[in-house]
PDB file of all heavy atoms in Angstrom:
ATOM      1  N   ILE L  25      -3.086   1.669   8.346  1.00  0.00           N
ATOM      2  CA  ILE L  25      -1.878   0.770   8.035  1.00  0.00           C
ATOM      3  C   ILE L  25      -1.669  -0.018   9.362  1.00  0.00           C
ATOM      4  O   ILE L  25      -1.141   0.558  10.393  1.00  0.00           O
ATOM      5  CB  ILE L  25      -0.622   1.572   7.767  1.00  0.00           C
ATOM      6  CG1 ILE L  25      -0.990   2.452   6.525  1.00  0.00           C
ATOM      7  CG2 ILE L  25       0.533   0.654   7.348  1.00  0.00           C
ATOM      8  CD1 ILE L  25       0.246   3.382   6.176  1.00  0.00           C
ATOM      9  N   ILE L  26      -2.023  -1.318   9.379  1.00  0.00           N
ATOM     10  CA  ILE L  26      -1.905  -2.166  10.586  1.00  0.00           C
ATOM     11  C   ILE L  26      -1.155  -3.421  10.387  1.00  0.00           C
ATOM     12  O   ILE L  26      -1.304  -3.932   9.176  1.00  0.00           O
ATOM     13  CB  ILE L  26      -3.306  -2.314  11.234  1.00  0.00           C
ATOM     14  CG1 ILE L  26      -4.273  -2.995  10.253  1.00  0.00           C
ATOM     15  CG2 ILE L  26      -3.900  -1.060  11.788  1.00  0.00           C
ATOM     16  CD1 ILE L  26      -5.556  -3.446  10.843  1.00  0.00           C
ATOM     17  N   GLY L  27      -0.545  -3.932  11.381  1.00  0.00           N
ATOM     18  CA  GLY L  27       0.122  -5.217  11.247  1.00  0.00           C
ATOM     19  C   GLY L  27       1.551  -5.092  11.014  1.00  0.00           C
ATOM     20  O   GLY L  27       2.168  -4.006  10.889  1.00  0.00           O
ATOM     21  N   ASN L  28       2.187  -6.297  11.055  1.00  0.00           N
ATOM     22  CA  ASN L  28       3.709  -6.384  10.816  1.00  0.00           C
ATOM     23  C   ASN L  28       3.917  -6.325   9.445  1.00  0.00           C
ATOM     24  O   ASN L  28       4.249  -7.378   8.715  1.00  0.00           O
ATOM     25  CB  ASN L  28       4.159  -7.703  11.437  1.00  0.00           C
ATOM     26  CG  ASN L  28       5.665  -7.775  11.506  1.00  0.00           C
ATOM     27  OD1 ASN L  28       6.304  -6.754  11.391  1.00  0.00           O
ATOM     28  ND2 ASN L  28       6.093  -9.023  11.529  1.00  0.00           N
ATOM     29  N   ILE L  29       3.822  -5.145   8.734  1.00  0.00           N
ATOM     30  CA  ILE L  29       4.018  -5.048   7.227  1.00  0.00           C
ATOM     31  C   ILE L  29       5.049  -3.979   6.999  1.00  0.00           C
ATOM     32  O   ILE L  29       5.364  -3.088   7.733  1.00  0.00           O
ATOM     33  CB  ILE L  29       2.687  -4.666   6.568  1.00  0.00           C
ATOM     34  CG1 ILE L  29       2.126  -3.294   7.061  1.00  0.00           C
ATOM     35  CG2 ILE L  29       1.675  -5.777   6.756  1.00  0.00           C
ATOM     36  CD1 ILE L  29       0.929  -2.808   6.195  1.00  0.00           C
ATOM     37  N   ILE L  30       5.552  -4.025   5.673  1.00  0.00           N
ATOM     38  CA  ILE L  30       6.404  -2.968   5.238  1.00  0.00           C
ATOM     39  C   ILE L  30       5.744  -2.247   4.065  1.00  0.00           C
ATOM     40  O   ILE L  30       5.220  -2.847   3.117  1.00  0.00           O
ATOM     41  CB  ILE L  30       7.706  -3.653   4.746  1.00  0.00           C
ATOM     42  CG1 ILE L  30       8.424  -4.332   5.906  1.00  0.00           C
ATOM     43  CG2 ILE L  30       8.690  -2.531   4.051  1.00  0.00           C
ATOM     44  CD1 ILE L  30       9.659  -5.061   5.494  1.00  0.00           C
ATOM     45  N   VAL L  31       5.870  -0.870   4.143  1.00  0.00           N
ATOM     46  CA  VAL L  31       5.323  -0.059   3.014  1.00  0.00           C
ATOM     47  C   VAL L  31       6.678   0.344   2.430  1.00  0.00           C
ATOM     48  O   VAL L  31       7.485   1.222   2.852  1.00  0.00           O
ATOM     49  CB  VAL L  31       4.574   1.128   3.447  1.00  0.00           C
ATOM     50  CG1 VAL L  31       4.081   2.098   2.348  1.00  0.00           C
ATOM     51  CG2 VAL L  31       3.289   0.622   4.385  1.00  0.00           C
ATOM     52  N   GLY L  32       6.856  -0.073   1.065  1.00  0.00           N
ATOM     53  CA  GLY L  32       8.067   0.193   0.252  1.00  0.00           C
ATOM     54  C   GLY L  32       8.270   1.669   0.093  1.00  0.00           C
ATOM     55  O   GLY L  32       7.328   2.442  -0.142  1.00  0.00           O
ATOM     56  N   GLU L  33       9.500   1.959  -0.187  1.00  0.00           N
ATOM     57  CA  GLU L  33       9.944   3.352  -0.395  1.00  0.00           C
ATOM     58  C   GLU L  33       9.303   3.944  -1.658  1.00  0.00           C
ATOM     59  O   GLU L  33       8.897   3.196  -2.581  1.00  0.00           O
ATOM     60  CB  GLU L  33      11.498   3.439  -0.525  1.00  0.00           C
ATOM     61  CG  GLU L  33      12.137   2.780  -1.620  1.00  0.00           C
ATOM     62  CD  GLU L  33      13.623   2.739  -1.582  1.00  0.00           C
ATOM     63  OE1 GLU L  33      14.261   3.328  -0.630  1.00  0.00           O
ATOM     64  OE2 GLU L  33      14.164   2.196  -2.403  1.00  0.00           O
ATOM     65  N   ASN L  34       9.178   5.275  -1.683  1.00  0.00           N
ATOM     66  CA  ASN L  34       8.682   5.916  -2.863  1.00  0.00           C
ATOM     67  C   ASN L  34       7.225   5.605  -3.259  1.00  0.00           C
ATOM     68  O   ASN L  34       6.883   5.699  -4.456  1.00  0.00           O
ATOM     69  CB  ASN L  34       9.577   5.738  -4.097  1.00  0.00           C
ATOM     70  CG  ASN L  34      10.996   6.209  -3.896  1.00  0.00           C
ATOM     71  OD1 ASN L  34      11.279   7.259  -3.184  1.00  0.00           O
ATOM     72  ND2 ASN L  34      11.861   5.416  -4.114  1.00  0.00           N
ATOM     73  N   SER L  35       6.569   5.109  -2.256  1.00  0.00           N
ATOM     74  CA  SER L  35       5.098   4.790  -2.539  1.00  0.00           C
ATOM     75  C   SER L  35       4.149   5.902  -2.202  1.00  0.00           C
ATOM     76  O   SER L  35       4.349   6.754  -1.361  1.00  0.00           O
ATOM     77  CB  SER L  35       4.749   3.528  -1.791  1.00  0.00           C
ATOM     78  OG  SER L  35       5.439   2.336  -2.129  1.00  0.00           O
ATOM     79  N   THR L  36       3.005   5.863  -2.840  1.00  0.00           N
ATOM     80  CA  THR L  36       1.875   6.751  -2.464  1.00  0.00           C
ATOM     81  C   THR L  36       0.649   5.936  -2.120  1.00  0.00           C
ATOM     82  O   THR L  36       0.225   5.002  -2.771  1.00  0.00           O
ATOM     83  CB  THR L  36       1.490   7.577  -3.767  1.00  0.00           C
ATOM     84  OG1 THR L  36       2.667   8.302  -4.129  1.00  0.00           O
ATOM     85  CG2 THR L  36       0.349   8.576  -3.466  1.00  0.00           C
ATOM     86  N   ILE L  37       0.112   6.278  -0.971  1.00  0.00           N
ATOM     87  CA  ILE L  37      -1.106   5.630  -0.319  1.00  0.00           C
ATOM     88  C   ILE L  37      -2.283   6.555  -0.543  1.00  0.00           C
ATOM     89  O   ILE L  37      -2.292   7.544   0.113  1.00  0.00           O
ATOM     90  CB  ILE L  37      -0.903   5.118   1.079  1.00  0.00           C
ATOM     91  CG1 ILE L  37       0.440   4.483   1.282  1.00  0.00           C
ATOM     92  CG2 ILE L  37      -2.106   4.305   1.542  1.00  0.00           C
ATOM     93  CD1 ILE L  37       0.687   3.242   0.424  1.00  0.00           C
ATOM     94  N   GLY L  38      -3.343   6.163  -1.339  1.00  0.00           N
ATOM     95  CA  GLY L  38      -4.497   7.028  -1.478  1.00  0.00           C
ATOM     96  C   GLY L  38      -5.314   7.189  -0.316  1.00  0.00           C
ATOM     97  O   GLY L  38      -5.352   6.194   0.506  1.00  0.00           O
ATOM     98  N   ALA L  39      -6.068   8.309  -0.160  1.00  0.00           N
ATOM     99  CA  ALA L  39      -6.976   8.481   0.917  1.00  0.00           C
ATOM    100  C   ALA L  39      -7.975   7.363   1.041  1.00  0.00           C
ATOM    101  O   ALA L  39      -8.491   6.791   0.169  1.00  0.00           O
ATOM    102  CB  ALA L  39      -7.704   9.828   0.604  1.00  0.00           C
ATOM    103  N   GLY L  40      -8.225   7.002   2.325  1.00  0.00           N
ATOM    104  CA  GLY L  40      -9.211   6.020   2.725  1.00  0.00           C
ATOM    105  C   GLY L  40      -8.693   4.631   2.537  1.00  0.00           C
ATOM    106  O   GLY L  40      -9.532   3.698   2.716  1.00  0.00           O
ATOM    107  N   SER L  41      -7.482   4.331   2.227  1.00  0.00           N
ATOM    108  CA  SER L  41      -6.968   2.959   1.971  1.00  0.00           C
ATOM    109  C   SER L  41      -6.711   2.259   3.352  1.00  0.00           C
ATOM    110  O   SER L  41      -6.461   2.855   4.278  1.00  0.00           O
ATOM    111  CB  SER L  41      -5.683   3.048   1.178  1.00  0.00           C
ATOM    112  OG  SER L  41      -5.920   3.626  -0.172  1.00  0.00           O
ATOM    113  N   VAL L  42      -6.933   0.916   3.242  1.00  0.00           N
ATOM    114  CA  VAL L  42      -6.632   0.138   4.464  1.00  0.00           C
ATOM    115  C   VAL L  42      -5.549  -0.995   3.959  1.00  0.00           C
ATOM    116  O   VAL L  42      -5.792  -1.698   3.247  1.00  0.00           O
ATOM    117  CB  VAL L  42      -7.906  -0.608   4.995  1.00  0.00           C
ATOM    118  CG1 VAL L  42      -7.496  -1.474   6.135  1.00  0.00           C
ATOM    119  CG2 VAL L  42      -8.940   0.462   5.274  1.00  0.00           C
ATOM    120  N   LEU L  43      -4.321  -0.809   4.675  1.00  0.00           N
ATOM    121  CA  LEU L  43      -3.251  -1.593   4.314  1.00  0.00           C
ATOM    122  C   LEU L  43      -3.074  -2.755   5.464  1.00  0.00           C
ATOM    123  O   LEU L  43      -2.921  -2.313   6.566  1.00  0.00           O
ATOM    124  CB  LEU L  43      -1.925  -0.907   4.132  1.00  0.00           C
ATOM    125  CG  LEU L  43      -1.806  -0.088   2.852  1.00  0.00           C
ATOM    126  CD1 LEU L  43      -2.667   1.044   2.799  1.00  0.00           C
ATOM    127  CD2 LEU L  43      -0.334   0.329   2.811  1.00  0.00           C
ATOM    128  N   THR L  44      -3.024  -3.913   5.015  1.00  0.00           N
ATOM    129  CA  THR L  44      -2.742  -5.031   5.968  1.00  0.00           C
ATOM    130  C   THR L  44      -1.674  -6.032   5.486  1.00  0.00           C
ATOM    131  O   THR L  44      -1.344  -6.966   6.121  1.00  0.00           O
ATOM    132  CB  THR L  44      -4.019  -5.864   6.327  1.00  0.00           C
ATOM    133  OG1 THR L  44      -4.628  -6.433   5.060  1.00  0.00           O
ATOM    134  CG2 THR L  44      -5.066  -4.970   6.958  1.00  0.00           C
ATOM    135  N   LYS L  45      -1.148  -5.744   4.261  1.00  0.00           N
ATOM    136  CA  LYS L  45      -0.140  -6.641   3.655  1.00  0.00           C
ATOM    137  C   LYS L  45       0.984  -5.676   3.061  1.00  0.00           C
ATOM    138  O   LYS L  45       0.806  -4.526   2.841  1.00  0.00           O
ATOM    139  CB  LYS L  45      -0.775  -7.345   2.441  1.00  0.00           C
ATOM    140  CG  LYS L  45      -1.782  -8.300   2.832  1.00  0.00           C
ATOM    141  CD  LYS L  45      -2.318  -9.135   1.768  1.00  0.00           C
ATOM    142  CE  LYS L  45      -3.494 -10.062   2.220  1.00  0.00           C
ATOM    143  NZ  LYS L  45      -4.091 -10.658   1.088  1.00  0.00           N
ATOM    144  N   ASN L  46       2.195  -6.230   2.965  1.00  0.00           N
ATOM    145  CA  ASN L  46       3.288  -5.544   2.499  1.00  0.00           C
ATOM    146  C   ASN L  46       2.977  -4.858   1.061  1.00  0.00           C
ATOM    147  O   ASN L  46       2.224  -5.418   0.252  1.00  0.00           O
ATOM    148  CB  ASN L  46       4.469  -6.529   2.192  1.00  0.00           C
ATOM    149  CG  ASN L  46       5.078  -7.029   3.481  1.00  0.00           C
ATOM    150  OD1 ASN L  46       4.911  -6.396   4.535  1.00  0.00           O
ATOM    151  ND2 ASN L  46       5.795  -8.108   3.407  1.00  0.00           N
ATOM    152  N   ILE L  47       3.542  -3.732   0.842  1.00  0.00           N
ATOM    153  CA  ILE L  47       3.495  -2.917  -0.375  1.00  0.00           C
ATOM    154  C   ILE L  47       4.791  -2.784  -0.973  1.00  0.00           C
ATOM    155  O   ILE L  47       5.824  -2.295  -0.335  1.00  0.00           O
ATOM    156  CB  ILE L  47       2.738  -1.542  -0.077  1.00  0.00           C
ATOM    157  CG1 ILE L  47       1.476  -1.622   0.683  1.00  0.00           C
ATOM    158  CG2 ILE L  47       2.781  -0.666  -1.270  1.00  0.00           C
ATOM    159  CD1 ILE L  47       0.429  -2.425  -0.155  1.00  0.00           C
ATOM    160  N   PRO L  48       5.033  -3.189  -2.244  1.00  0.00           N
ATOM    161  CA  PRO L  48       6.279  -3.063  -2.769  1.00  0.00           C
ATOM    162  C   PRO L  48       6.744  -1.536  -3.080  1.00  0.00           C
ATOM    163  O   PRO L  48       5.859  -0.710  -3.127  1.00  0.00           O
ATOM    164  CB  PRO L  48       6.275  -3.725  -4.160  1.00  0.00           C
ATOM    165  CG  PRO L  48       4.780  -4.030  -4.375  1.00  0.00           C
ATOM    166  CD  PRO L  48       4.063  -3.810  -3.134  1.00  0.00           C
ATOM    167  N   ALA L  49       8.081  -1.333  -3.227  1.00  0.00           N
ATOM    168  CA  ALA L  49       8.508  -0.049  -3.476  1.00  0.00           C
ATOM    169  C   ALA L  49       7.952   0.594  -4.710  1.00  0.00           C
ATOM    170  O   ALA L  49       7.525  -0.232  -5.673  1.00  0.00           O
ATOM    171  CB  ALA L  49      10.010  -0.073  -3.501  1.00  0.00           C
ATOM    172  N   ASN L  50       7.795   1.916  -4.779  1.00  0.00           N
ATOM    173  CA  ASN L  50       7.407   2.539  -6.044  1.00  0.00           C
ATOM    174  C   ASN L  50       6.012   2.281  -6.440  1.00  0.00           C
ATOM    175  O   ASN L  50       5.630   2.336  -7.715  1.00  0.00           O
ATOM    176  CB  ASN L  50       8.390   2.219  -7.248  1.00  0.00           C
ATOM    177  CG  ASN L  50       9.781   2.670  -6.810  1.00  0.00           C
ATOM    178  OD1 ASN L  50      10.028   3.836  -6.356  1.00  0.00           O
ATOM    179  ND2 ASN L  50      10.674   1.720  -6.932  1.00  0.00           N
ATOM    180  N   SER L  51       5.151   2.016  -5.541  1.00  0.00           N
ATOM    181  CA  SER L  51       3.727   1.629  -5.753  1.00  0.00           C
ATOM    182  C   SER L  51       2.722   2.797  -5.523  1.00  0.00           C
ATOM    183  O   SER L  51       2.919   3.594  -4.663  1.00  0.00           O
ATOM    184  CB  SER L  51       3.293   0.487  -4.867  1.00  0.00           C
ATOM    185  OG  SER L  51       4.024  -0.692  -5.196  1.00  0.00           O
ATOM    186  N   ILE L  52       1.677   2.857  -6.300  1.00  0.00           N
ATOM    187  CA  ILE L  52       0.524   3.671  -5.908  1.00  0.00           C
ATOM    188  C   ILE L  52      -0.673   2.709  -5.591  1.00  0.00           C
ATOM    189  O   ILE L  52      -0.954   1.858  -6.287  1.00  0.00           O
ATOM    190  CB  ILE L  52       0.093   4.494  -7.167  1.00  0.00           C
ATOM    191  CG1 ILE L  52       1.310   5.425  -7.599  1.00  0.00           C
ATOM    192  CG2 ILE L  52      -1.163   5.250  -6.863  1.00  0.00           C
ATOM    193  CD1 ILE L  52       0.940   6.215  -8.838  1.00  0.00           C
ATOM    194  N   VAL L  53      -1.078   2.949  -4.277  1.00  0.00           N
ATOM    195  CA  VAL L  53      -2.050   2.009  -3.678  1.00  0.00           C
ATOM    196  C   VAL L  53      -3.273   2.670  -3.322  1.00  0.00           C
ATOM    197  O   VAL L  53      -3.300   3.808  -2.784  1.00  0.00           O
ATOM    198  CB  VAL L  53      -1.343   1.443  -2.408  1.00  0.00           C
ATOM    199  CG1 VAL L  53      -2.225   0.524  -1.684  1.00  0.00           C
ATOM    200  CG2 VAL L  53      -0.044   0.800  -2.731  1.00  0.00           C
ATOM    201  N   VAL L  54      -4.399   2.084  -3.493  1.00  0.00           N
ATOM    202  CA  VAL L  54      -5.784   2.553  -3.139  1.00  0.00           C
ATOM    203  C   VAL L  54      -6.715   1.445  -2.763  1.00  0.00           C
ATOM    204  O   VAL L  54      -6.452   0.349  -3.059  1.00  0.00           O
ATOM    205  CB  VAL L  54      -6.438   3.395  -4.293  1.00  0.00           C
ATOM    206  CG1 VAL L  54      -5.606   4.592  -4.661  1.00  0.00           C
ATOM    207  CG2 VAL L  54      -6.737   2.554  -5.466  1.00  0.00           C
ATOM    208  N   GLY L  55      -7.726   1.829  -2.058  1.00  0.00           N
ATOM    209  CA  GLY L  55      -8.812   0.826  -1.734  1.00  0.00           C
ATOM    210  C   GLY L  55      -8.821   0.202  -0.331  1.00  0.00           C
ATOM    211  O   GLY L  55      -7.875   0.421   0.407  1.00  0.00           O
ATOM    212  N   ASN L  56      -9.897  -0.611  -0.079  1.00  0.00           N
ATOM    213  CA  ASN L  56     -10.149  -1.248   1.130  1.00  0.00           C
ATOM    214  C   ASN L  56     -10.673  -2.684   0.752  1.00  0.00           C
ATOM    215  O   ASN L  56     -11.857  -2.783   0.437  1.00  0.00           O
ATOM    216  CB  ASN L  56     -11.074  -0.537   2.063  1.00  0.00           C
ATOM    217  CG  ASN L  56     -11.363  -1.266   3.327  1.00  0.00           C
ATOM    218  OD1 ASN L  56     -10.732  -2.309   3.565  1.00  0.00           O
ATOM    219  ND2 ASN L  56     -12.238  -0.717   4.053  1.00  0.00           N
ATOM    220  N   PRO L  57      -9.884  -3.703   0.745  1.00  0.00           N
ATOM    221  CA  PRO L  57      -8.391  -3.639   1.127  1.00  0.00           C
ATOM    222  C   PRO L  57      -7.598  -2.968   0.014  1.00  0.00           C
ATOM    223  O   PRO L  57      -7.927  -2.968  -1.227  1.00  0.00           O
ATOM    224  CB  PRO L  57      -8.104  -5.240   1.158  1.00  0.00           C
ATOM    225  CG  PRO L  57      -9.071  -5.838   0.291  1.00  0.00           C
ATOM    226  CD  PRO L  57     -10.250  -4.975   0.323  1.00  0.00           C
ATOM    227  N   ALA L  58      -6.506  -2.472   0.440  1.00  0.00           N
ATOM    228  CA  ALA L  58      -5.555  -1.762  -0.531  1.00  0.00           C
ATOM    229  C   ALA L  58      -4.900  -2.635  -1.550  1.00  0.00           C
ATOM    230  O   ALA L  58      -4.681  -3.735  -1.305  1.00  0.00           O
ATOM    231  CB  ALA L  58      -4.511  -1.077   0.323  1.00  0.00           C
ATOM    232  N   ARG L  59      -4.791  -2.128  -2.690  1.00  0.00           N
ATOM    233  CA  ARG L  59      -4.190  -2.877  -3.753  1.00  0.00           C
ATOM    234  C   ARG L  59      -3.324  -1.824  -4.674  1.00  0.00           C
ATOM    235  O   ARG L  59      -3.634  -0.724  -4.807  1.00  0.00           O
ATOM    236  CB  ARG L  59      -5.246  -3.531  -4.706  1.00  0.00           C
ATOM    237  CG  ARG L  59      -6.241  -2.662  -5.329  1.00  0.00           C
ATOM    238  CD  ARG L  59      -7.319  -3.326  -6.111  1.00  0.00           C
ATOM    239  NE  ARG L  59      -8.378  -2.692  -6.666  1.00  0.00           N
ATOM    240  CZ  ARG L  59      -8.633  -1.495  -7.129  1.00  0.00           C
ATOM    241  NH1 ARG L  59      -7.606  -0.654  -7.052  1.00  0.00           N
ATOM    242  NH2 ARG L  59      -9.686  -1.074  -7.639  1.00  0.00           N
ATOM    243  N   VAL L  60      -2.368  -2.418  -5.273  1.00  0.00           N
ATOM    244  CA  VAL L  60      -1.486  -1.574  -6.165  1.00  0.00           C
ATOM    245  C   VAL L  60      -2.210  -1.329  -7.357  1.00  0.00           C
ATOM    246  O   VAL L  60      -2.653  -2.358  -8.020  1.00  0.00           O
ATOM    247  CB  VAL L  60      -0.133  -2.349  -6.311  1.00  0.00           C
ATOM    248  CG1 VAL L  60       0.699  -1.512  -7.242  1.00  0.00           C
ATOM    249  CG2 VAL L  60       0.566  -2.556  -5.006  1.00  0.00           C
ATOM    250  N   ILE L  61      -2.346  -0.129  -7.863  1.00  0.00           N
ATOM    251  CA  ILE L  61      -2.979   0.236  -9.085  1.00  0.00           C
ATOM    252  C   ILE L  61      -1.954   0.617 -10.116  1.00  0.00           C
ATOM    253  O   ILE L  61      -2.297   0.617 -11.372  1.00  0.00           O
ATOM    254  CB  ILE L  61      -4.141   1.232  -8.973  1.00  0.00           C
ATOM    255  CG1 ILE L  61      -3.577   2.564  -8.548  1.00  0.00           C
ATOM    256  CG2 ILE L  61      -5.205   0.715  -8.098  1.00  0.00           C
ATOM    257  CD1 ILE L  61      -4.459   3.798  -8.633  1.00  0.00           C
ATOM    258  N   LYS L  62      -0.805   0.968  -9.727  1.00  0.00           N
ATOM    259  CA  LYS L  62       0.223   1.443 -10.631  1.00  0.00           C
ATOM    260  C   LYS L  62       1.569   1.408 -10.013  1.00  0.00           C
ATOM    261  O   LYS L  62       1.675   1.538  -8.854  1.00  0.00           O
ATOM    262  CB  LYS L  62      -0.067   2.889 -11.108  1.00  0.00           C
ATOM    263  CG  LYS L  62       0.778   3.359 -12.165  1.00  0.00           C
ATOM    264  CD  LYS L  62       0.281   4.788 -12.694  1.00  0.00           C
ATOM    265  CE  LYS L  62       1.175   5.262 -13.818  1.00  0.00           C
ATOM    266  NZ  LYS L  62       0.723   6.570 -14.233  1.00  0.00           N
TER     267      LYS L  62
END
């Protein structure tokens, strides 16, 4: 997780993910680059 970003509350970040952009609250995120899947 790098950069000036916000990871929203109640989120789950899957193993091996790379986050470089803001993630909204209540998200499930996976991948490289990370994306919200649910």
Side-chain angles (χ1 to χ4, degrees):
I25 303 173
I26 57 172
N28 188 22
I29 64 172
I30 297 173
V31 178
E33 64 185 0
N34 304 314
S35 292
T36 300
I37 313 303
S41 297
V42 177
L43 283 70
T44 59
K45 296 181 181 177
N46 291 336
I47 302 300
N50 304 306
S51 296
I52 298 174
V53 178
V54 297
N56 178 5
R59 61 183 172 29
V60 176
I61 60 166
K62 188 173 181 181

